[in-house]
Amino acid sequence: MKIYNTLTKKKEEFVPITPGKVGIYVCGPTVYNFIHIGNARPMIVFDTLRRYFEYKGMEVNYVSNFTDVDDKIIKKSIEEGVPAHEVSERFIAECKKDMEGMNVKPATHHPKATEEIDGMIEMIETLIEKGYAYEKNGTVYFRTRECDGYGKLSKKNLDDLTAGIRIAVSDEKDDAMDFVLWKPKKEGEPFWTSPWGDGRPGWHIECSVMSKKYVGATIDIHAGGEDLVFPHHENEIAQSECCNGVTFANYWMHNAFLNIDNKKMSKSAGNFFTVREISEKYPLQIIRFFMLSAHYRSPLNFSDTLVEAAKAGLERILTAVDNIKTVMPGLTEEAVAADEANIAALSGLVEKYEAAMDDDLNTADAIAAIFEIVKLANTTVKDGSKAYAAKLLATIEELCEVLGIITEKEEEILDSDIEALIEERQAARKAKNFARADEIRDLLLEKGIVLKDTREGVKWSRA
Ligand code: AMP
Ligand code: ZN
């Protein structure tokens, strides 16, 4: 498999450190709110990468952190008058619900920054001992100029970076590009004791520590959104390589951004959506399919038109699966003449799918190969044997499963559909069409929706 490595700016053959095993570290969300639809992109893309390695028979150690101490979390905790960990724990739980809805597998480990402070203090101590960090008034800084190769991931040069800085250089730091490893506590903020006084870690150090602990000093693949290349990932490399003396990550993968209606998502522009909000409008399986319909390194535009197109595409696959299941019982047990050519065509398309996935996880082309299999199924299943139909079915199911797409046609019922059916039921009752009213109640019940007639009107709940 070839992977585009941000570090070398080239597609490279992927060679794991240990044959048959892959260690992946993906920077996770800062948990101060529901995750937004942009955060969902790396989750879906790298979960698909993991699934594809597993499909190839590799053992994957997939680690993704939760940043649970940060200015935004603290701000929210102050606004709500609750401890910071209450805010972060609440949104970790909500994030896990969204992940489940998007069929993103739980990571092998989901470390939290606040549970790894000791490891961070230890790494900072080593960096100080080795001369890569220094303390000033309770703040510990990383000395970027001491670090050979600083800027190699983002292709930035320290002198250019310094020249670009317009803000007054803090007199405390030795150099404008030095970054914080540890900061002193502020009144009302969570803190931990350290050799440099009470305080909390800077952002970057957590990933250096957690990736080493849960994956290893050198990891196969480090991933995240492209906004993380600089400074976050550049600083992670600096901390880890200066501390451990070995390469930090062999391959760096970065997803491009998701925009809404061709504009950068932002709360102030009013085009900011959480995954939870979107799930009211579309089943999350459609969102997952939509995200994978573009290559992960291409910017992706989120619009109703494009999501509707993804919905129609997914429907085509699910209908084909349904169709195979319907005709299969009537097919002959013995092999038929057409089987050989059909099975060869199917194998060719599976190869096409794998070639696309092997080419830097090109899910767009992999989905195109699935559509070709769907077309083959629609045109040939009736004239093949039962064994051929079973092979078609198992193949479509397996290739979709790698993309995290479930081919069972179980439509999730949306709130708006439920409300519409309840209205129709009320109208049927008014017209004394009780048969239809009961039919609607039973239909909703089948989908797990329970109706309750109350004095204030009909109330419903999901069973
Ligand atoms: P954050 O919580 O901001 O640290 O983001 C968590 C992950 O989501 C990181 O990998 C970000 O790069 C990624 N991310 C944030 N916004 C977007 C976006 N609009 N499109 C794609 N990825 C994003
Ligand atoms: Zn990180």
Side-chain angles (χ1 to χ4, degrees), residues 387-401:
Y388 169 60
K391 202 172 170 64
L392 272 174
L393 188 62
T395 305
I396 299 176
E397 279 172 348
E398 187 178 28
L399 301 188
C400 283
E401 166 72 25

Side-chain angles (χ1 to χ4, degrees), residues 387-428:
Y388 169 60
K391 202 172 170 64
L392 272 174
L393 188 62
T395 305
I396 299 176
E397 279 172 348
E398 187 178 28
L399 301 188
C400 283
E401 166 72 25
V402 172
L403 302 179
I405 299 297
I406 301 159
T407 47
E408 278 299 315
K409 208 173 182 180
E410 197 192 312
E411 276 166 30
E412 194 181 307
I413 187 155
L414 300 177
D415 290 5
S416 51
D417 296 337
I418 299 170
E419 315 280 3
L421 280 166
I422 291 175
E423 246 175 59
E424 194 193 332
R425 177 168 169 266
Q426 295 301 83

Side-chain angles (χ1 to χ4, degrees), residues 175-192:
D175 189 284
M177 285 315 294
D178 291 352
F179 60 87
V180 173
L181 297 172
W182 186 267
K183 51 185 157 192
K185 81 164 181 191
K186 283 199 200 130
E187 217 27 65
E189 292 191 349
F191 65 88
W192 290 263

Side-chain angles (χ1 to χ4, degrees), residues 14 53 88 158-159 186 215 219 226 233 248 260 269 273 371:
F14 175 68
F53 280 128
S88 57
L158 267 179
D159 291 328
K186 283 199 200 130
V215 190
I219 56 189
E226 65 183 3
H233 288 164
F248 177 43
I260 305 219
F273 300 109
F371 282 137

